[in-house]
Amino acid sequence: MAKSSEVKVAVFGRAGVGKSALVVRLLTNRFIWEYDPTLESTYRHQANIDDEMVSMEILDTAGQEDLLQKEGHMRWGDGFVLVYDITDRSSFEDVGPLRSLLEEVRKPRHVPLVLVGNKADLEHARQVATEEGERLAADMACAFYECSACAGTAGTAGTVAEAFHELCREVRRR
Ligand code: GDP
Ligand code: MG
């Protein structure tokens, strides 16, 4: 019989980077243009990852929490998706401090995370080079994906799922 496990995933990143769109894409394979930015929700998603049924509980944060709420979310999660928008440099600059806070809240434990540069469909408006994302991920010793919650191509939609699956693997490794 296949093993099964539960992984709590919290999605962090500045408001507007596309956290809700990514989660909806993962859950429904659809893109929804407008999502209440102040909304914070949890979702359940099951996936077969390396022959194991993994049940994810996903917290889509609003991205405008105060410190206390943020720390609460960081204690709740088993793994974390840190999202920035490749067309918004300030959202990229938010990642470092988020990661530092995670380390502080979770220390001395290892913090499983993945870095996601979203809105890769907006190449013309890009402000953060792919190499910069790669470098940051290398610094944080985590996996890195550039993806788009809205691009219709199967390739990018697959990347969204791959990012979440890789995070679950990272959680399970520990
Ligand atoms: P959140 O605040 O991080 O949850 O961001 P949302 O999911 O609400 O998305 C913010 C805005 O960015 C919305 O207008 C979305 O339609 C748009 N958006 C989200 N993901 C993408 C993407 O991959 N590409 C493009 N072009 N727009 C996106
Ligand atoms: Mg949202």
Side-chain angles (χ1 to χ4, degrees):
M1 198 175 69
K3 290 190 293 182
S4 72
S5 60
E6 285 248 339
V7 178
K8 293 196 189 98
V9 175
V11 185
F12 280 103
R14 168 178 289 227
V17 296
K19 297 177 297 297
S20 300
L22 285 169
V23 172
V24 168
R25 163 63 81 181
L26 175 75
L27 267 61
T28 66
N29 222 12
R30 287 209 172 76
F31 178 66
I32 297 173
W33 271 106
E34 286 308 328
Y35 230 75
D36 183 345
T38 61
L39 206 72
E40 171 191 305
S41 318
T42 55
Y43 301 86
R44 281 207 160 268
H45 179 64
Q46 295 216 331
N48 188 322
I49 305 172
D50 309 331
D51 283 329
E52 183 173 349
M53 270 321 276
V54 177
S55 176
M56 287 177 237
E57 197 175 333
I58 301 172
L59 171 64
D60 172 25
T61 68
Q64 36 194 224
E65 295 79 4
D66 61 32
L67 187 61
L68 210 63
Q69 288 172 302
K70 235 183 233 169
E71 289 178 350
H73 294 155
M74 289 176 171
R75 270 188 290 271
W76 173 87
D78 300 313
F80 306 88
V81 180
L82 303 188
V83 185
Y84 67 93
D85 169 354
I86 68 151
T87 71
D88 176 7
R89 174 158 292 278
S90 57
S91 73
F92 181 69
E93 286 162 359
D94 278 0
V95 172
L98 266 177
R99 201 274 188 140
S100 303
L101 187 60
L102 267 170
E103 293 268 304
E104 198 183 305
V105 169
R106 310 285 301 206
K107 82 183 163 213
R109 282 180 294 170
H110 167 79
V111 183
L113 48 90
V114 295
L115 178 64
V116 170
N118 190 38
K119 307 198 187 180
D121 58 297
L122 301 178
E123 190 57 47
H124 58 279
R126 180 188 283 274
Q127 290 184 359
V128 184
T130 303
E131 296 71 39
E132 293 178 89
E134 286 170 349
R135 220 174 300 135
L136 179 59
D139 282 350
M140 305 194 300
C142 73
F144 170 61
Y145 301 87
E146 268 193 0
C147 63
S148 165
C150 80
T153 59
T156 38
T159 308
V160 176
E162 191 44 41
F164 280 83
H165 291 189
E166 185 53 30
L167 177 62
C168 290
R169 289 193 191 97
E170 182 65 17
V171 169
R172 301 286 294 147
R173 268 179 216 126
R174 305 288 156 170

